[in-house]
Amino acid sequence: MTVTFRRDFQALCLFCLILGQPIQGHAGKPAFSLHGFGTLGLARSTDDSAEFVRDLSQRNGLTEAWSFETDSVLGLQANLHFNPEFEGVVQAASHYNPHGDFKPELTWAFLSYAPSPAVTLRAGRLGNEFYMLADSRLVGYSYVTVRPPVDYFGTLPFDYFDGLDLAITRPLAGGLFKAKAYAGLSREQSPWAELQFNMSGSLLAGAYLDFIKGPWQFRLGHANLQFDRDLPVEDFYDALPPNTADELRVADKSTSFTAFGAVYDSGPLQTQFMLSRTLSHHGVFQDAWAGYLILSYRMHALTPFVGLSAAKSSPKDLDHPIPGYTDVFQAEFYNDQRTLFLGTRWDFMENFCIKAQMDIVRGKPESRFLYRWENLEDWDGSMTVLSVTLDFIF
Amino acid sequence: MLTLASSVIANETSLVVAIHVSAGVETLTRDQVINIFLGRFRQLPNGHLAIPIDQDSDHPIRAEFYRRLVGKNPAEIHAYWARLIFSGKTTPPREAESEEQIIQWLMTEPGAIGYLPADRLREPLKAVFTLDP
């Protein structure tokens, strides 16, 4: 894994160095521009009995040994402005992926058409906007914490989809009102022990409403994910009575995500509050509540922050349960934990910052969904995670 | 020495948001200026496209403009644009190489809107919003 990490990451670093500074057209009119972002992260946990992951797209997680994998990322983006109405964007990123390596992947690739400032239509590969700020999760420089709160964002292994979105913006009541709808197909996977849950072909569709006024921004969103394939446990399904297996299949069934977000951003003070409700029409992924609150306050180059996040799920009652089997299976997807996190961001030079963070996770021993490789005899649901990152843009 | 002089100008002088008189815009509110320069909604009150122009990134007036407008320092503004650029939403204002270039663009390009020290305003440009020290 380390060798692969070095090869892929170094190759992308070299590519970025060769390309150097953003390229702009003559007379200050940028026809083509090239930018990048990256994070060099180190993190460890205090508990080897379960591995902490940034989100469910990661194959392995943190142990008591310091690790680069969890938060390190390097991305490169090219923007091509054809004219004021049309723009093309391509972004590739290298980060720790479901296969346990850093092979770069295409994270954005779309054409956008903006016939007026009020309307934007994009088609191609687009970032997932299930939750507010979810489409910029890889860009560590853009937020104050080391990583988006895992209790909230960790259950989303979807970074992008192939489809389209339409956004309409209008002034309203002294503020700005924005409505956006999107739909497309997932192309991603989520590792599950030695297996891969292939979500490619799953249909994502959703919409959200934003209202921005002064320092406030509010968002109400709803998204639906209809799975195209079942979990890779066909032997398990075959061993169950058909009506029981049907309740535990996800193919052609859906999970919905409803979320509310509020941001207050005024001068040095930034606050974020988000709350989500996940509901599933199958017996696998559990209905869940998740939320978080972050407070940060800039003091010169330092921005200390503190936050609290939580997630709690409950399994579906099956019509045809097999005690000792179906309940054990459903327990793999259970989640009940809280995290207090605190740290600071230091903007020590232009376009670079260093962050340090401590996450104090407290949960039930049965809370396992957001971890990898739990040792059930030792796992007590609690751990502390220590992280430090260097984030940059260019 | 030049930078020091510019810093003094930036700290002690009113900054005006300027546009060509032919744009037909009388005044803008603070929220409208924020919407245009932070890429939220780049439309003038008359419905025309607004094209915001930034001072050079090394010019102290640029940092002072955003400090007075939204209370943010340059690192916070960079972080803000990192989120929008790398999620394909919008692009930052065009960056001029000099104050003279800003004035030239304001005079020649429809919808161009920029910011200047108040005493650099000249016809046919007009101030539509003022940020005092």
Side-chain angles (χ1 to χ4, degrees):
Chain A
M1 177 196 310
T2 303
V3 172
T4 309
F5 161 75
R6 284 179 181 161
R7 188 182 63 232
D8 294 337
F9 209 72
Q10 285 173 350
L12 201 52
C13 284
L14 184 63
F15 183 49
C16 295
L17 287 172
I18 291 169
L19 290 168
Q21 295 297 310
I23 300 164
Q24 297 199 338
H26 67 285
K29 295 181 180 179
F32 175 76
S33 62
L34 198 60
H35 299 275
F37 60 90
T39 298
L40 191 59
L42 266 179
R44 58 161 292 193
S45 79
T46 57
D47 193 334
D48 270 342
S49 59
E51 297 187 7
F52 175 96
V53 289
R54 183 181 171 105
D55 62 48
L56 294 179
S57 72
Q58 298 191 321
R59 182 181 178 85
N60 301 300
L62 294 175
T63 63
E64 293 182 16
W66 289 98
S67 167
F68 281 101
E69 277 85 356
T70 301
D71 298 304
S72 295
V73 58
L74 189 63
L76 195 63
Q77 177 172 308
N79 289 52
L80 182 60
H81 294 262
F82 300 102
N83 57 46
E85 287 84 30
F86 285 94
E87 183 186 17
V89 175
V90 176
Q91 183 189 101
S94 168
H95 62 108
Y96 189 61
N97 64 30
H99 301 287
D101 60 41
F102 278 79
K103 184 177 180 182
E105 61 178 339
L106 198 63
T107 44
W108 293 83
F110 66 85
L111 283 173
S112 82
Y113 172 57
S116 80
V119 179
T120 304
L121 176 67
R122 305 188 300 181
R125 177 158 293 181
L126 302 164
N128 163 21
E129 289 193 85
F130 275 21
Y131 299 151
M132 201 172 185
L133 311 179
D135 59 347
S136 51
R137 280 182 293 169
L138 292 178
V139 190
Y141 185 84
S142 70
Y143 43 82
V144 295
T145 54
V146 161
R147 65 186 75 84
V150 171
D151 291 339
Y152 191 82
F153 290 95
T155 55
L156 283 186
F158 329 102
D159 277 330
Y160 54 80
F161 62 93
D162 291 344
L164 50 83
D165 65 19
L166 174 67
I168 296 173
T169 308
R170 291 282 180 198
L172 180 75
L176 268 186
F177 173 79
K178 180 177 179 181
K180 188 169 197 174
Y182 53 90
L185 298 176
S186 171
R187 297 296 180 209
E188 294 175 278
Q189 299 186 6
S190 179
W192 194 36
E194 299 289 353
L195 307 169
Q196 293 284 344
F197 176 30
N198 189 347
M199 296 178 293
S200 190
S202 299
L203 176 65
L204 295 92
Y208 65 76
L209 303 174
D210 265 353
F211 184 68
I212 305 170
K213 185 169 186 177
W216 287 99
Q217 180 177 2
F218 300 96
R219 176 176 295 185
L220 186 62
H222 182 78
N224 193 75
L225 172 65
Q226 182 170 309
F227 296 99
D228 185 57
R229 307 173 196 212
D230 278 319
L231 290 160
V233 288
E234 207 54 45
D235 289 347
F236 174 70
Y237 291 134
D238 288 344
L240 296 173
N243 49 9
T244 301
D246 283 347
E247 290 188 90
L248 295 177
R249 290 184 181 277
V250 299
D252 299 323
K253 297 174 185 173
S254 64
T255 294
S256 66
F257 306 81
T258 304
F260 170 77
V263 172
Y264 180 83
D265 189 347
S266 178
L269 175 66
Q270 284 189 53
T271 67
Q272 287 180 23
F273 170 76
M274 298 200 195
L275 184 67
S276 72
R277 179 65 168 152
T278 305
L279 295 172
S280 291
H281 302 287
H282 52 77
V284 181
F285 301 121
Q286 302 189 358
D287 294 348
W289 286 100
Y292 75 86
L293 175 68
I294 299 176
L295 304 173
S296 67
Y297 193 89
R298 172 178 50 80
M299 294 181 289
H300 301 290
L302 289 177
T303 308
F305 60 84
V306 61
L308 187 65
S309 61
K312 181 176 175 55
S313 72
S314 53
K316 286 278 190 189
D317 290 329
L318 301 181
D319 293 331
H320 308 285
I322 309 290
Y325 291 90
T326 54
D327 50 346
V328 170
F329 179 73
Q330 288 181 297
E332 292 279 339
F333 306 93
Y334 181 66
N335 197 11
D336 187 353
Q337 62 185 43
R338 299 152 302 286
T339 305
L340 172 68
F341 50 97
L342 64 162
T344 192
R345 168 181 171 135
W346 177 31
D347 287 280
F348 66 99
M349 64 181 287
E350 187 175 348
N351 295 336
F352 286 83
C353 71
I354 288 174
K355 302 175 193 171
Q357 179 173 323
M358 178 168 65
D359 294 74
I360 303 165
V361 186
R362 295 292 178 266
K364 290 185 175 179
E366 298 82 13
S367 184
R368 295 157 53 187
F369 189 35
L370 282 169
Y371 299 93
R372 301 298 189 202
W373 311 111
E374 312 89 63
N375 179 340
L376 298 182
E377 289 184 1
D378 298 329
W379 173 235
D380 64 359
S382 298
M383 66 165 55
T384 298
V385 176
L386 305 171
S387 315
V388 60
T389 59
L390 170 69
D391 298 277
F392 55 90
I393 54 172
F394 54 91
Chain B
M1 198 64 187
L2 182 63
T3 303
L4 182 63
S6 299
S7 297
V8 172
I9 291 170
N11 290 331
E12 295 182 353
T13 308
S14 290
L15 300 179
V16 294
V17 176
I19 195 167
H20 198 285
V21 291
S22 65
V25 178
E26 292 302 317
T27 60
L28 294 176
T29 66
R30 179 181 291 269
D31 278 350
Q32 287 172 326
V33 174
I34 292 171
N35 290 341
I36 290 169
F37 278 88
L38 295 189
R40 293 172 173 173
F41 188 58
R42 286 177 172 160
Q43 184 169 288
L44 298 171
N46 59 16
H48 293 156
L49 180 69
I51 302 171
I53 300 169
D54 258 337
Q55 296 268 2
D56 181 84
S57 59
D58 294 330
H59 200 301
I61 283 179
R62 178 155 156 181
E64 186 64 16
F65 173 71
Y66 287 104
R67 187 188 68 77
R68 293 185 195 178
L69 185 66
V70 289
K72 299 292 186 187
N73 70 14
E76 290 171 304
I77 295 296
H78 287 178
Y80 172 85
W81 280 114
R83 178 165 63 81
L84 295 188
I85 291 169
F86 296 120
S87 56
K89 288 195 171 68
T90 187
T91 52
R94 282 170 59 186
E95 186 176 298
E97 295 172 357
S98 66
E99 198 171 280
E100 283 307 309
Q101 190 173 44
I102 287 185
I103 291 170
Q104 181 191 345
W105 284 351
L106 291 176
M107 289 186 171
T108 57
E109 302 207 14
I113 183 168
Y115 49 89
L116 299 163
D119 57 4
R120 308 289 167 81
L121 194 67
R122 67 182 80 159
E123 291 185 346
L125 306 180
K126 68 179 295 185
V128 291
F129 184 72
T130 301
L131 288 163
D132 291 321

